Structures are given as C-alpha cells and as structure tokens.
Amino acid sequence: LMAAALTGHAHENRFYVAGEVGGASASDVRLREFFGQPLAPNAEIRLDPGIRLGIRAGYGLTDWLDSEIETGVTANNIDSITGATVSDGSLANIPLLFNLRLHTPDQSRLSAYLGGGVGCASTILTGDDLVIGATKFDGTAADAVFAYQGFAGLRFAISDRMGLSLEYHYLH
C-alpha cells in the first residue's frame, strides 16, 4: 500500500513531484557465487518484507501520459542464505529510472495507471559477519547495474495533493 504524501501538481505547467512510502516484498535472490567462491546450484538469499521509499518528478505530456524521473530505496533484511552459517544483513536497491506513465485523466477520485521505465540501480549488500564456506563478509559491498521496471496500480485521491495507491511494482 503506497501513500503519496507529497504529491503537488502544477496544472498550468503540468510539472509534478510525488513522494511515496510503502511496504516491499522482494523475491528471493539467486546467488551464483559469494565474493569469488562458487556456490551450490540453486543457492539463494531469502529476504524478509521491507520498506520502499520513493520520489519522482514528472511532466504531463497529455491528459493521460506523463514522463518522469524516479529514485528511492527499497530495503529488505536477509532472512537466510543457502549454505550460510551466519546470515545477518540487508539488501537494498537504489534505482534511478526514466519512466512513461499512462493513467486515466485526473478528473475522477479513482484512477488507474500503468507504466515502465529504464535506467540503473545500485544494489547494496550490508552484512554483519556473513559466513558462507570459507568466506566471511563484514561490511558493505555495492554494484551498479542496468535496471528496468514495470508498474500498475489504482490511486484514490484523498485531496488534490494526497492519495492512497495500491500498486504492483516490478524492478529488475
């Protein structure tokens, strides 16, 4: 459930900014190697439910199509890692994406939307004595990769500047 708490529309010039906060349920992550150490097939990181914070700014190209830039953070604690003796840590993604958003016109209180975007994402692994085989990891490691996303949802307008949304958000 996403709460758009900072939505401000400038209808005259069609620019807008929106902030989002909500829960995040991440898929398990396949793990092929751990800092150079090959792992058993089907090794994975299981993640607990987490949080998603986001901000986006856009421009209404038409009454039903927006272009926007989006960033934020999705963070989940690690529940378990295949083959790990200690698995205390977290996994976070910080994307920077350029989106196109299709939506029903703003006149109704309930509006549907869908869209997608491309860009990059920084993935950050934080561990507190993660041990897999002979490898021990304590600290933070990060990598930036190509990313894309798709999203769809329903937004209920509480006021001109605030709404509640139920959204499915796929980030790869």
Side-chain angles (χ1 to χ4, degrees):
L1 187 65
M2 304 293 288
L6 301 172
T7 304
H9 288 276
H11 292 287
E12 298 82 31
N13 61 17
R14 304 178 83 94
F15 284 102
Y16 63 89
V17 175
E20 301 170 340
V21 61
S25 175
S27 300
D28 296 337
V29 177
R30 282 182 283 162
L31 198 56
R32 294 186 191 117
E33 67 176 47
F34 188 71
F35 294 98
Q37 176 183 334
L39 299 176
N42 301 324
E44 65 183 12
I45 300 174
R46 292 187 178 260
L47 300 169
D48 290 330
I51 188 166
R52 180 177 182 275
L53 304 171
I55 188 164
R56 57 190 164 85
Y59 179 77
L61 300 171
T62 68
D63 287 342
W64 51 270
L65 178 65
D66 299 342
S67 65
E68 58 188 29
I69 186 170
E70 174 185 356
T71 191
V73 64
T74 302
N76 300 82
N77 286 329
I78 295 173
D79 178 49
S80 65
I81 302 175
T82 304
T85 55
V86 177
S87 58
D88 185 22
S90 65
L91 190 64
N93 284 296
I94 303 171
L96 178 61
L97 300 160
F98 299 93
N99 300 330
L100 284 178
R101 177 182 293 264
L102 292 166
H103 58 86
T104 54
D106 290 335
Q107 290 84 2
S108 62
R109 287 182 75 74
L110 185 64
S111 60
Y113 58 90
L114 65 94
V118 297
C120 64
S122 179
T123 301
I124 303 166
L125 172 67
T126 302
D128 185 19
D129 296 326
L130 292 177
V131 179
I132 299 178
T135 305
K136 179 180 177 182
F137 175 72
D138 187 24
T140 302
D143 195 12
V145 296
F146 171 76
Y148 60 90
Q149 72 172 349
F151 54 87
L154 290 172
R155 181 178 188 274
F156 176 75
I158 296 171
S159 70
D160 288 344
R161 296 185 179 268
M162 187 176 289
L164 290 175
S165 296
L166 180 62
E167 179 176 283
Y168 176 77
H169 204 113
Y170 175 81
L171 175 66
H172 183 84

